[in-house]
Amino acid sequence: MKLYAALAFALLVSASAHAEDDPSSEEATRAVNALAIERFGNICRANLSDPDAARAAAEAAGFTFVGTGTGIDERANLTFQINTHPTRAIECIIVRGRVGADYSARDDFFRSLGFTHQRGVAQIAIDGETYVFMHVKMGGQIFTVLME
């Protein structure tokens, strides 16, 4: 339940910060989704178990932080969020705001990771830890990894 609250918050921040952005062509939408997927790989995937490193990578990629764990890249219409939980769980999210063309980046996302998925979810063991990678299309594109 906390995950969906975090996802909804991240989407809301992204949508409100970038209401004027509305790429109308599928090509433009694919290009921005590709950037979001690339940022996810460079920030979240590259720093799976280290939230401080993920935040530093987000800052280096151009995200400006508006709170403890939320950053916005206004040029790319992306939001980054890192959450840590007392149970050692880590959650890393990249949100692509409003999507003009009706195109889901789900298959592109999982192909970039080298994983197969079931309805937008893949549970993968990496270095002895279990990670859940997810894609949700909820007004925008939400790319998430959770370390359980």
Side-chain angles (χ1 to χ4, degrees), residues 4-5 18 29 51 71 79 97 110 120 124 141-142:
Y4 289 110
H18 311 290
T29 302
T79 302
F110 284 100
I124 307 294
Q141 306 283 333
I142 303 170

Side-chain angles (χ1 to χ4, degrees), residues 46-128:
N47 300 289
L48 285 172
S49 62
D50 189 345
D52 293 331
R55 182 185 167 107
E59 287 175 336
F63 286 89
T64 301
F65 279 79
V66 294
T68 326
T70 302
I72 296 174
D73 182 345
E74 292 188 30
R75 297 163 299 152
N77 189 16
L78 298 174
T79 302
F80 164 80
Q81 188 170 358
I82 188 84
N83 301 306
T84 56
H85 304 282
T87 59
R88 202 177 68 84
I90 299 170
E91 173 178 61
C92 187
I93 304 165
I94 298 284
V95 177
R96 159 63 174 112
R98 297 174 46 193
V99 176
D102 187 21
Y103 165 73
S104 173
R106 179 172 291 167
D107 289 336
D108 294 341
F109 174 60
F110 284 100
R111 191 172 21 260
S112 79
L113 298 169
F115 306 147
T116 58
H117 66 93
Q118 293 288 339
R119 297 184 180 166
V121 178
Q123 186 170 347
I124 307 294
I126 300 172
D127 295 331

Side-chain angles (χ1 to χ4, degrees), residues 2-19:
K2 288 181 184 180
L3 166 69
Y4 289 110
L7 292 174
F9 174 75
L11 185 59
L12 177 65
V13 168
S14 180
S16 64
H18 311 290

